Amino acid sequence: MTADVDVVTELGYGTSGRRMDVHCPAPSSSAAPVVLLWHGRGPDERDVLAPLARSAARLGVVTFVPDWRPDAPDGGRTQLAESVAFVRENAARFGGDAERMVLAGWSLGANAVLGVALNPAALDGWRPRAVVGIAGGYRSAAPTTGTVPIEDASRAGDPVPPIPVHLVHGTTDPITDIEQSRELRDALEERGWPAPLEELATDHAGIVLTEYSVEHQRCLPSTAAHAVDAGTRTAHLLARAAGIAVS
């Protein structure tokens, strides 16, 4: 807990018993917008996104961060869908407005959220207010759909009504080439979907306020200037996507 953010931990959700944390901003007289934030390929890594979630909560966003397992038999699709259902049903318990819900993800999580944006059937027709892709790779199949986001964005046929898409990527990312975000942006804009891309001077971990620890084989909170600057700007992007006016 910080002076202005209350963190509720170890909430169980879904049939698999995965856990979720909620980062709640200071209480307000009105319900706050909501962000559901999916981590990347490492199984059950909600802790990795805690620094980013806290930063977003300080800006007034109720931020939910679930564990999920990309190594599950279905690639994590059921768990991701169950996390959406949990937040839609329970946002009000934590001061959030489920009608103003943004879906965001980092790395493989970004791939998953773009799958939802481009395929309304992924979650039985439900679509978020906006999506935010953070350092995503979009040339492989999304866990949420089994289809490839860049191919979905480029496919001709019945148009899918656009929703706001926001992309952010580190220019020195050694894990996921920034060209994937540029390629997706271009494909989306070609089909009439504005998809602004913020390019920040950081790497794959710094974009979410972390750095990779070889010793722990995990991303841990970082105080490096590039990570603090880039991660803070990513948090601001989450807030803006949720409708909060921040500089």
Side-chain angles (χ1 to χ4, degrees):
M1 180 181 296
T2 68
D4 54 348
V5 175
D6 184 12
V7 184
V8 182
T9 63
E10 297 292 334
L11 291 169
Y13 80 91
T15 57
S16 66
R18 302 258 70 78
R19 298 294 172 176
M20 180 182 298
D21 295 342
V22 189
H23 301 254
C24 304
S28 172
S29 59
S30 58
V34 169
V35 167
L36 174 58
L37 181 58
W38 290 339
H39 64 70
R41 188 172 299 279
D44 294 341
E45 286 194 337
R46 72 184 190 276
D47 59 293
V48 170
L49 294 180
L52 178 61
R54 285 195 298 270
S55 187
R58 291 189 187 103
L59 297 171
V61 180
V62 181
T63 309
F64 293 78
V65 188
D67 279 337
W68 65 287
R69 297 195 65 94
D71 58 354
D74 66 352
R77 183 179 304 186
T78 298
Q79 293 166 12
L80 294 173
E82 288 177 339
S83 73
V84 171
F86 179 90
V87 174
R88 293 180 67 195
E89 293 169 5
N90 293 280
R93 288 173 49 195
F94 304 95
D97 180 358
E99 297 302 316
R100 293 187 292 156
M101 181 173 163
V102 171
L103 198 54
W106 170 60
S107 196
L108 183 62
N111 173 295
V113 303
L114 264 297
V116 171
L118 290 161
N119 294 274
L123 294 172
D124 297 323
W126 177 85
R127 304 179 81 201
R129 171 179 178 150
V131 297
V132 180
I134 306 166
Y138 305 107
R139 297 174 186 153
S140 60
T144 43
T145 61
T147 60
V148 178
I150 284 178
E151 294 178 359
D152 290 341
S154 304
R155 185 177 296 116
D158 293 337
V160 175
I163 60 174
V165 174
H166 305 268
L167 304 173
V168 61
H169 212 122
T171 56
T172 60
D173 190 331
I175 305 299
T176 307
D177 187 353
I178 193 173
E179 286 299 329
Q180 295 201 49
S181 285
R182 292 169 178 163
E183 184 179 355
L184 179 67
R185 173 201 60 198
D186 293 346
L188 288 169
E189 291 183 346
E190 179 69 22
R191 69 182 294 167
W193 286 36
L197 167 62
E198 290 194 38
E199 300 189 7
L200 305 180
T202 192
D203 56 20
H204 196 69
I207 203 83
V208 291
L209 276 164
T210 67
E211 59 185 293
Y212 184 72
S213 168
V214 175
E215 177 185 358
H216 295 89
Q217 297 189 356
R218 201 174 191 85
C219 291
L220 301 177
S222 178
T223 58
H226 71 91
V228 172
D229 177 68
T232 299
R233 291 173 67 178
T234 300
H236 282 216
L237 178 59
L238 293 175
R240 290 198 303 273
I244 294 176
V246 293
S247 60

